[in-house]
Amino acid sequence: MRTLWQPGDSSVADYGQSIYSDLRFWKEDVEGSIAHARMLGATGILGNEEAGRIIDGLEQILAEGPEELPNDVEDIHAAVEFRLHELIGEVAGKLHTARSRNDQVATDAKLYLRRRLDRLAQDIKGLQAVLLAIGTEHRKTAMPGYTHFQLAQPLTLGFHYLAHFWALQRCGRRFEHAGEFLLTCPLGSAALAGTRFPIDREMTARELGFDSPAPNALDATSDRSWALDIAHATVQLDIQLSKIANELVLWSSTEFGFVLLGDPYTTGSSIMPQKRNPDVAELVRGRSSQSIGDYVAMAALVGDLPLGYHRDYQDDKPPLFAMLSRTGRLLHLISGMLGSANWNATAMKFRAAQGFSCVTELADRLAERGIPFREAHHLVADVVRASAPKGEPTTAAMRSVLGDRLTDREIKELITALSPATIISNRQSAGSTGTRAYAAQLRRAKKLHAQPGFAQIA
């Protein structure tokens, strides 16, 4: 294997090789080198002719693509330098004046991650668009809501998926916040203490689209907190995607029957002809957990390192790159599953009325009549116990418990009101599932989604 220094034992050299991971940011490495070469020429550290030859060679490498870069080298920096030497000769060695691979790799990674986060933001927006479509189409489709995975209160399918919309809005915001720490440029920090050459760090930072140079050379080459921030945001997003996938697994079961997943996202059984397994949702649920392991590995890797560059940092990028690639795939799969799902409104409406899920409405209406809510709660619990064999509040149970407080006509009116549609429409507090409140929430979500980025939820 070709190295920039002494070759040493080949097995040891192979063990330290990172070129295959580094190739992800080959383009950023070349772009950073072009900016550095321009700065060397502009400051007179290199002559204009030398700087021009280096820049021409680097631009040729950009045009060629990564296929022409050698892969029998230690890392991407060596690959670019060896290829540049093949193209322009010995002057290629002057490119490394006033910089180190330590500030190079931090710069390359930040440039790559800025672009990768832009694509990830588009994927999050894409899934949010699917959720908004469900939220619009199913704004009146009743379904049961759950707490403790027990029937709780009726709501709508649109309301349920709008909850996921807001969670994704926070996820997008986390990535934006993490991305803010990618806007200081490490290039020019050299190994750890800067350089004696009269470089112009403002120039290179500006050319590469950074806000400013990193203020401290030692911190710039030591810091990997920005990588951990992105990894943490990725874990949060994957946890949210796992929740959505888990719901699809449950709701597509015979016991629920709420949704029929599209054919591309289900598989059959090798022995049972009737099976329609939600394999893709199960894989999304399972593989999202891998990001937690990757995050823990990264945190453990950087946690005990003193200031200064360490070779351990070579291994911070593969898990992060794997997380981002995996998460991008998961976003597309969840979008596809939801976008092609066929919802069983009849089954959801039927289940929404089961298990006494409507009786909170009864307690609320008793409280409106002046009965303290805690007492109303106990009274309704008595109604539920007396009605248990029927599975829903009965006139007899209501009369037995509330007969001294309500007339038969009032009891009949209350029982009539205990329907999912009535209950859903009556919840009008801000953020609720009620018709007017939900319409306002949906408008707000669509307005935020139409804006660039992920505005913070006030």
Side-chain angles (χ1 to χ4, degrees), residues 50-127:
E50 291 176 322
R53 287 180 60 195
I54 291 172
I55 292 168
D56 289 344
L58 290 169
E59 289 179 340
Q60 183 174 339
I61 293 173
L62 270 185
E64 291 174 344
E67 294 77 18
E68 297 300 320
L69 294 174
N71 56 28
D72 59 338
V73 293
E74 180 181 349
D75 54 32
I76 189 62
H77 319 302
V80 171
E81 188 166 330
F82 278 120
R83 179 58 181 153
L84 186 63
H85 187 274
E86 291 174 349
L87 292 173
I88 66 173
E90 293 297 327
V91 71
K94 294 192 174 185
L95 172 61
H96 207 57
T97 306
R99 74 175 184 182
S100 162
R101 286 187 293 178
N102 297 355
D103 60 340
Q104 261 189 281
V105 70
T107 303
D108 294 353
K110 282 190 170 185
L111 286 171
Y112 171 82
L113 289 170
R114 277 164 41 191
R115 290 168 174 167
R116 189 66 186 82
L117 292 189
D118 286 343
R119 295 199 299 274
L120 191 64
Q122 294 173 10
D123 293 338
I124 295 173
K125 285 277 194 180
L127 177 52

Side-chain angles (χ1 to χ4, degrees), residues 99-354:
R99 74 175 184 182
S100 162
R101 286 187 293 178
N102 297 355
D103 60 340
Q104 261 189 281
V105 70
T107 303
D108 294 353
K110 282 190 170 185
L111 286 171
Y112 171 82
L113 289 170
R114 277 164 41 191
R115 290 168 174 167
R116 189 66 186 82
L117 292 189
D118 286 343
R119 295 199 299 274
L120 191 64
Q122 294 173 10
D123 293 338
I124 295 173
K125 285 277 194 180
L127 177 52
Q128 283 186 311
V130 175
L131 297 176
L132 288 174
I134 295 174
T136 301
E137 181 180 356
H138 294 283
R139 60 190 180 278
K140 294 183 180 180
T141 303
M143 69 169 293
Y146 298 88
T147 64
H148 307 276
F149 207 56
Q150 302 294 315
L151 285 167
Q153 293 178 336
L155 41 82
T156 67
L157 183 65
F159 177 80
H160 181 95
Y161 275 107
L162 213 56
H164 287 305
F165 172 91
W166 296 112
L168 289 176
Q169 189 76 3
R170 293 192 297 273
C171 288
R173 182 65 178 168
R174 289 187 191 101
F175 281 110
E176 287 186 338
H177 183 66
E180 293 173 5
F181 295 103
L182 301 177
L183 297 177
T184 54
C185 183
L187 194 60
S189 298
L192 77 164
T195 176
R196 72 181 304 277
F197 293 96
I199 61 174
D200 185 346
R201 294 191 62 208
E202 293 283 352
M203 177 181 173
T204 49
R206 189 166 53 248
E207 179 162 337
L208 293 172
F210 290 96
D211 285 353
S212 64
N216 182 285
L218 178 58
D219 177 58
T221 54
S222 307
D223 179 36
R224 293 299 184 275
S225 63
W226 40 268
L228 284 176
D229 286 339
I230 293 170
H232 179 259
T234 306
V235 167
Q236 293 272 53
L237 174 56
D238 284 2
I239 288 172
Q240 189 61 35
L241 298 179
S242 180
K243 290 176 181 290
I244 298 174
N246 191 40
E247 289 172 349
L248 292 175
V249 171
L250 293 170
W251 292 353
S252 63
S253 68
T254 304
E255 286 72 15
F256 281 84
F258 291 176
V259 63
L260 183 68
L261 297 176
D263 288 347
Y265 303 99
T266 61
T267 62
S269 164
S270 63
I271 186 172
M272 295 170 283
Q274 85 282 6
K275 294 299 291 297
R276 187 184 179 90
N277 298 323
D279 282 11
V280 174
E282 291 173 336
L283 288 171
V284 170
R285 182 179 60 184
R287 290 178 180 171
S288 62
S289 65
Q290 295 175 15
S291 292
I292 298 173
D294 287 333
Y295 174 77
V296 171
M298 289 177 61
L301 180 119
V302 305
D304 294 326
L305 296 179
L307 288 175
Y309 180 83
H310 307 272
R311 192 61 177 272
D312 311 49
Y313 285 144
Q314 176 177 302
D315 289 334
D316 68 342
K317 290 172 289 299
L320 181 58
F321 293 163
M323 292 173 75
L324 293 171
S325 294
R326 182 188 308 119
T327 299
R329 186 79 183 276
L330 298 182
L331 283 164
H332 283 283
L333 289 170
I334 290 289
S335 294
M337 279 189 285
L338 289 177
S340 62
N342 185 9
W343 300 97
N344 188 338
T346 301
M348 289 188 289
K349 180 180 179 180
F350 174 78
R351 189 62 63 86
Q354 302 301 299

Side-chain angles (χ1 to χ4, degrees), residues 346-380:
T346 301
M348 289 188 289
K349 180 180 179 180
F350 174 78
R351 189 62 63 86
Q354 302 301 299
F356 297 99
S357 65
C358 297
V359 297
T360 303
E361 177 78 3
L362 177 56
D364 289 342
R365 293 196 177 214
L366 291 176
E368 287 176 346
R369 293 170 178 267
I371 299 174
F373 182 82
R374 188 54 60 205
E375 182 181 353
H377 182 282
H378 292 316
L379 290 170
V380 173

